[in-house]
Amino acid sequence: MSKDTGAARAAIEAGRTLPGSTRIENRAGLIHALTEAAELEHGLLVQYLFAALSMKRRPDEGVTVPQLERMREWEAQILRVAHDEMGHLGTVCNLLTAIGGAPHFGRPNFPVANRYFPTDDPATTGFVEFTLEPFSPGTVARFVRFESPEPVPIADALVEPDLRYPTIGRLYSLIADAFSQLDEASLFIGPQTDQDTDDWSLGLRLFNVVDARSAVRAIRSIVEDGEGLPAGGADSHWVRFQQVQVELQEAVTADPGFSPARPVVPNPLTRPHFESPAAGVIDDPYSRRVSELFSWVYESMLLMLMQYYAFAGETAQQRTGLRATIRHLMSGVVRPLGEVLTELPAGPSYPGRTAGPPFELFTDLRLPANRVNAWALFHERLAQAAAECESLATEPEAPDRLAFLAENLRLATAGVGRSRALGG
Amino acid sequence: MLELDFAGWFQCRLATDPDPADEGRGVSGWTFAVAHEPDLDRIIWFQDPPMRRSHGPDVGVTVGEVRVFRQPQPGHPLSGAAAELLDGPRFEGRNGLVAEDGEELVDPFHLRVSAGGVTLRREDLHDPRRLPISEVRPDHLVRRLAKGVEGDPDSVAEVQDATGIPDIRAHILQRASALSAELQSAGDAAIAAGLQKRLRGLRPLIPIRVSYDFGIGEYGGDVEVTGDAAAIGGEVDRQAPWPLRMWFGGWDADALCGFAKGTLEVPFR
């Protein structure tokens, strides 16, 4: 084997990265790690949303008014953290773009047992499970662990991880090291302006990445939000979740029968997927239709995010319109539809349990390379979602909110139609 | 032409971004319903809201000065009349799907002013076919949108003058003090929890405004004119739009109230 061949092979291996690696040695390895970071942020965000949307909202659900007031604060805290994670996902996409990678919005369906948070602990080489669970002491404990700066022992591993990082902070530390150590001049080949720095009218903080310094600054901000720097900053996710944990424990101690969440089935899906055999397939026909609608809209939103972050030649007005539609769908359809699901029956296989927002991806996310076709796809998908929602709203078991959400989907469809017409 | 100046506090119990527009209790936005209060519903009440929060302003939008051909008419039957918005109008923004922040429209729009045997009532439609808002032509919708947030010094001064609250800080301190005192004497745990939530979420009154300027009835809608033309000041034109300029501002998020001020022009034939 020649020297060059050996170097090339080493580069390929590092780009994969090597099993159990604690270093990132080239662009491909960095893209690999950032892609994993994007999946992590996305996965965390969805788990937080699921728990928040599972919470009871009314005294007739078996909680007292004072308990509801505390629960509202907890839900608000979790939703605020979820918003931060949206910003983190956007910044990670900017980091990917800056070095010639592709923004990443895909992820496996839940539960994901053996993919994230591999530990260095030789006694317990494993992973932290990503799972959609209703709000509970156990769920909050898992959230604390996600955001913790301290490595924790976790369950047995099934496979050897590519990258070892017992905390999110450690993963970002590996990434920051790579940005600092790799040759800056050759690393930053991506467009410097085709990055998203909008606050999305949600106060998100996204960073423009043009060099090693700005990359490290962006990464530091993400870690500060999560773990806090130094560890445990007062407004960090870790501290906020710990506060929720303490208050929840107080509430349970005061009322051992306190049950803040609706009886939501964990990891609800509309069909089995090969990667998520442990999921709960909703078998109430109506609830399954609403669940499919939810995931259809969610998937449509991800496709639009992919287009938005791809900077595929849209006019400035089109980009503004696309961003607005994505944001409108988040608050105007995805969240309320998720709440609706937590009050619908899961089906005969789950007596007394309810469905929940599945955040299900029916297939790999793929966009047509042709921009015009992509916009046709968005418009068609939203129009189909609106028609299905209207149909669901006419069924006898339809919750009151569905007619309103159908109208919102019609409005979103019209918005995409107007933005689409602005392009060539 | 008849001109009616009107002003007063209205109530609107609405969820705010990023809560969904139809959020009933308020979670991630900065408005919320507390114990024993019904769900938030976005309905704008110019008169007699079904429930009121303690320590808020008195709700009631009323006609002030009345002019006929620009001349003040102190004894006009509509002087001091209640202005009402009928049909349960809501602030329509829907998290930006209908209108962005500061541009939310009031929909449906159906105004009635009535007193002393005189009633003027006019409905404004987006389209004569009474289409749902999702099917309305954008150029029809846009005329009803607010013109965006006005926070310039002149606007702030006018809001503070109209509300009679020149010292925002003193106003919030007074509210906090009143809520704290009420909390001290609250015997019911649920009411106490609600008062605590109000205290935690207490925000100063926002002395900004959004303005509206459109002709009521441009695309059709019900119209009612009752009363003697001599008493009104002329023969009211039921066909021509009735120009309306008004602003909503001075948002008191704790009381879920804001201030409305404007002028309705009613053309004569």
Side-chain angles (χ1 to χ4, degrees):
Chain A
M1 181 188 298
S2 72
K3 187 178 175 184
D4 285 345
T5 305
R9 182 174 173 182
I12 290 168
E13 286 179 339
R16 252 198 352 237
T17 53
L18 291 173
S21 174
T22 54
R23 282 196 66 195
I24 299 165
E25 298 183 352
N26 59 18
R27 182 194 317 280
L30 191 49
I31 289 173
H32 178 113
L34 284 166
T35 301
E36 184 142 328
E39 275 189 29
L40 265 173
E41 299 289 1
H42 190 171
L44 292 176
L45 151 60
V46 168
Q47 290 175 90
Y48 297 160
L49 283 177
F50 187 91
L53 302 188
S54 75
M55 292 174 79
K56 295 174 179 172
R57 311 295 291 280
R58 301 182 304 272
D60 65 8
E61 295 185 271
V63 286
T64 67
V65 169
Q67 285 170 339
L68 276 171
E69 286 300 343
R70 297 190 86 170
M71 290 159 60
R72 171 157 54 189
E73 300 298 320
W74 300 336
E75 184 178 351
Q77 282 289 3
I78 297 170
L79 289 173
R80 273 195 281 272
V81 172
H83 280 148
D84 287 348
E85 303 298 0
M86 289 179 205
H88 295 175
L89 179 54
T91 292
V92 171
C93 287
N94 284 350
L95 287 159
L96 277 162
T97 300
I99 62 169
H104 183 66
F105 291 95
R107 54 161 188 79
N109 283 311
F110 291 97
V112 186
N114 55 0
R115 194 174 174 101
Y116 307 116
F117 290 96
T119 177
D120 279 331
D121 184 343
T124 58
T125 303
F127 302 82
V128 175
E129 186 178 25
F130 271 32
T131 173
L132 298 178
E133 303 274 351
F135 182 86
S136 71
T139 299
V140 176
R142 208 158 41 84
F143 292 173
V144 170
R145 191 166 59 181
F146 286 152
E147 303 288 353
S148 169
E150 302 298 330
V152 287
I154 40 187
D156 290 343
L158 299 177
V159 295
E160 180 71 3
D162 284 347
L163 276 168
R164 289 195 173 277
Y165 54 92
T167 67
I168 296 179
R170 181 63 191 135
L171 172 62
Y172 279 116
S173 175
L174 291 171
I175 292 170
D177 287 348
F179 271 111
S180 298
Q181 290 161 9
L182 296 176
D183 177 56
E184 189 175 24
S186 58
L187 182 62
F188 289 89
I189 60 171
Q192 299 194 346
T193 53
D194 288 357
Q195 296 181 32
D196 179 33
T197 55
D198 198 272
D199 78 348
W200 288 72
S201 301
L202 290 168
L204 303 185
R205 285 194 310 155
L206 278 77
F207 289 80
N208 189 218
V209 179
V210 297
D211 53 20
R213 189 174 170 199
S214 54
V216 171
R217 187 167 60 103
I219 292 164
R220 184 179 297 134
S221 171
I222 293 174
V223 178
E224 279 176 5
D225 283 347
E227 300 176 355
L229 277 178
D235 200 36
S236 69
H237 300 173
W238 184 47
V239 168
R240 282 194 253 171
F241 282 144
Q242 282 181 307
Q243 183 66 31
V244 172
Q245 190 174 35
V246 168
E247 292 177 10
L248 176 56
Q249 187 54 54
E250 287 172 359
V252 171
T253 301
D255 175 6
F258 177 46
S259 175
R262 291 171 177 158
V264 176
V265 169
N267 302 302
L269 288 174
T270 63
R271 63 205 70 181
H273 294 266
F274 75 91
E275 80 274 23
S276 51
V281 176
I282 300 303
D283 52 8
D284 176 272
Y286 185 81
S287 302
R288 187 164 58 216
R289 277 182 69 193
V290 178
S291 299
E292 283 175 340
L293 172 66
F294 175 91
S295 291
W296 181 261
V297 176
Y298 166 67
E299 199 176 68
S300 303
M301 197 178 71
L302 293 181
L303 288 169
M304 286 189 271
L305 275 166
M306 287 171 67
Q307 185 73 12
Y308 181 76
Y309 276 86
F311 288 83
E314 281 86 2
T315 64
Q317 280 181 306
Q318 276 187 304
R319 284 188 55 76
T320 300
L322 185 58
R323 184 177 63 240
T325 299
I326 295 165
R327 183 169 59 80
H328 302 160
L329 286 173
M330 287 178 190
S331 291
V333 180
V334 171
R335 182 172 147 190
L337 201 53
E339 290 171 356
V340 163
L341 279 164
T342 64
E343 294 199 271
L344 292 178
S349 300
Y350 314 93
R353 309 292 293 270
T354 66
F359 294 100
E360 182 174 5
L361 297 177
F362 298 117
T363 184
D364 286 347
L365 297 174
R366 293 266 190 269
L367 273 180
N370 182 295
R371 170 172 47 83
V372 174
N373 290 352
W375 279 81
L377 181 77
F378 304 150
H379 190 260
E380 182 180 279
R381 285 184 67 108
L382 290 186
Q384 288 165 342
E388 173 64 356
C389 196
E390 279 171 4
S391 168
L392 285 163
T394 62
E395 299 290 341
E397 60 267 68
D400 291 342
R401 292 180 89 174
L402 276 192
F404 185 80
L405 299 183
E407 193 165 48
N408 283 358
L409 278 163
R410 282 271 170 240
L411 288 160
T413 307
V416 165
R418 285 194 297 275
S419 299
R420 181 185 176 195
L422 294 169
Chain B
M1 177 182 63
L2 175 72
E3 291 174 284
L4 307 174
D5 291 346
F6 59 88
W9 290 95
F10 66 90
Q11 185 198 68
C12 184
R13 304 177 59 257
L14 81 170
T16 42
D17 268 334
D19 273 337
D22 66 340
E23 163 60 41
R25 306 308 296 172
V27 178
S28 52
W30 43 282
T31 50
F32 44 82
V34 296
H36 304 315
E37 291 181 353
D39 280 356
L40 305 173
D41 57 14
R42 297 182 291 142
I43 294 176
I44 301 167
W45 297 92
F46 269 17
Q47 307 291 335
D48 304 321
M51 61 82 48
R52 298 180 191 203
R53 281 191 172 170
S54 56
H55 316 297
D58 290 333
V59 171
V61 178
T62 55
V63 174
E65 185 172 271
V66 179
R67 293 179 295 279
V68 174
F69 297 115
R70 309 286 185 197
Q71 298 303 308
Q73 307 291 319
H76 194 281
L78 291 179
S79 185
E84 298 169 272
L85 288 177
L86 308 178
D87 305 335
R90 290 177 162 89
F91 266 123
E92 281 288 13
R94 302 202 190 192
N95 306 97
L97 279 162
V98 173
E100 292 290 355
D101 289 349
E103 297 180 349
E104 294 93 338
L105 65 156
V106 179
D107 196 70
F109 194 89
H110 194 169
L111 179 68
R112 179 171 66 191
V113 182
S114 183
V118 174
T119 296
L120 301 177
R121 180 175 63 80
R122 191 86 190 254
E123 180 187 29
D124 186 77
L125 301 179
H126 299 293
D127 187 287
R129 293 167 291 172
R130 295 184 181 270
L131 296 174
I133 203 164
S134 57
E135 294 176 26
V136 174
R137 282 173 43 175
D139 57 323
H140 285 202
L141 199 64
V142 76
R143 73 189 180 88
R144 284 265 296 278
L145 296 180
K147 312 301 178 195
V149 173
E150 298 165 15
D152 58 280
D154 287 347
S155 297
V156 169
E158 184 173 355
V159 170
Q160 290 184 313
D161 180 60
T163 57
I165 303 173
D167 188 339
I168 305 287
R169 186 167 179 276
H171 180 258
I172 186 91
L173 290 174
Q174 190 178 29
R175 180 71 55 80
S177 174
L179 288 170
S180 298
E182 187 182 357
L183 178 60
Q184 292 295 321
S185 59
D188 182 281
I191 289 174
L195 289 166
Q196 287 164 344
K197 172 63 179 170
R198 284 180 64 187
L199 277 163
R200 281 197 306 276
L202 199 55
R203 287 168 171 243
L205 179 139
I206 307 171
I208 57 175
R209 64 182 182 177
V210 295
S211 296
Y212 299 87
D213 187 350
F214 60 92
I216 307 177
E218 186 173 345
Y219 294 107
D222 287 349
V223 57
E224 177 188 355
V225 178
T226 56
D228 185 61
I232 294 172
E235 193 72 37
V236 170
D237 189 334
R238 298 162 185 254
Q239 302 300 320
W242 296 357
L244 173 73
R245 294 184 312 280
M246 66 174 182
W247 57 258
F248 287 177
W251 180 245
D252 180 338
D254 174 59
L256 296 168
C257 289
F259 199 86
K261 185 177 180 187
T263 300
L264 173 69
E265 293 180 19
V266 181
F268 293 144
R269 287 196 294 184

